[in-house]
Amino acid sequence: VNLSILEILIISLAACMLALRQQLPLLACVGSLSILGTVVFPGVLWRASCESKRDARFWAELVLRFARQGLFAQSTALYDSLVLDSVAADGEITAHVRLDPSLQDPSQMLHMGAVALLTDELTTASIASQRCYPGVSISLSVARIATCPPGAIVHITSRVLRQGRKLIHTEAIFTKDDSTILFRCSHVKYCEAPSAVWLPILLLRTSVARLLANAVLSTRTMPLPVTR
């Protein structure tokens, strides 16, 4: 059931008032905590909110925006070719790139290094869309299954396969227009936050997080990938 923040607040308030009238202190305590969480840290309830899909896209794009400031990222034209198509509430991201010369190896096929970079960035964005600490990579594997001609559109789907307390397993599938699989990639990340400071950040209201991110990044030019 998808509930808005306002609906959750109303339900929590009603439950709290009913508990006080019926002298049920435990239910009253739960209702009070729900109200507090809704008002102060609504990100706690984001999965139950009808805005979760929009929130997921924001957090995914935010990670890509921060990644764009790295020296390695600035040295490649990959971000100029990357187009985000969709970000689902469960973290599944679809995107595509055109196989232009900057992404080709000497045999004019999609370079394995570009595939690895795209896998790293998009699977990390999938993790971040779930309001998880982006973490550090433990392993990343790329398997070429088929080839595609220069200038072709390569579609990418990244998703979270398994999320544990510390490790998150993800995958990225690269396909052609006819759904032929070109690459199958797996990526494992260690995603335990390094300090408790990250907890309130990941629970911030999306609008507040957007203001903070814009303030931090406003001194540099780091465009987001092209989005639809």
Side-chain angles (χ1 to χ4, degrees), residues 181-217:
I181 296 179
L182 302 173
F183 296 89
R184 186 181 295 274
C185 312
S186 64
H187 190 200
V188 182
K189 302 201 76 174
Y190 180 84
C191 293
E192 184 178 29
S195 69
V197 175
W198 279 92
L199 180 59
I201 293 177
L202 295 173
L203 298 181
L204 282 174
R205 185 189 297 270
T206 300
S207 57
V208 176
R210 182 179 289 108
L211 289 175
L212 291 176
N214 288 337
V216 171
L217 300 173

Side-chain angles (χ1 to χ4, degrees), residues 78-86 94-97 225-228:
L78 182 144
Y79 280 89
D80 297 331
S81 305
L82 179 62
V83 178
L84 290 181
D85 296 321
S86 67
T94 59
H96 70 269
V97 293
V226 179
T227 60
R228 285 183 176 179

Side-chain angles (χ1 to χ4, degrees), residues 114-146:
V115 174
L117 177 58
L118 286 166
T119 298
D120 186 11
E121 301 291 18
L122 291 177
T123 54
T124 300
S126 289
I127 292 172
S129 72
Q130 303 304 288
R131 287 183 181 258
C132 295
Y133 177 68
V136 294
S137 298
I138 292 181
S139 68
L140 193 158
S141 64
V142 178
R144 187 192 300 272
I145 298 174

Side-chain angles (χ1 to χ4, degrees), residues 89-129:
D90 63 357
E92 180 172 296
I93 293 177
T94 59
H96 70 269
V97 293
R98 181 178 296 277
L99 185 51
D100 57 34
S102 64
L103 302 180
Q104 295 173 11
D105 60 17
S107 59
Q108 294 188 320
M109 295 188 293
L110 182 57
H111 197 287
M112 294 282 279
V115 174
L117 177 58
L118 286 166
T119 298
D120 186 11
E121 301 291 18
L122 291 177
T123 54
T124 300
S126 289
I127 292 172
S129 72

Side-chain angles (χ1 to χ4, degrees), residues 6-29:
L6 179 60
E7 289 169 332
I8 295 174
L9 181 60
I10 293 173
I11 293 173
S12 300
L13 181 61
C16 187
M17 293 178 63
L18 178 62
L20 291 175
R21 177 173 296 183
Q22 299 297 326
Q23 297 183 353
L24 299 174
L26 180 59
L27 183 58
C29 180

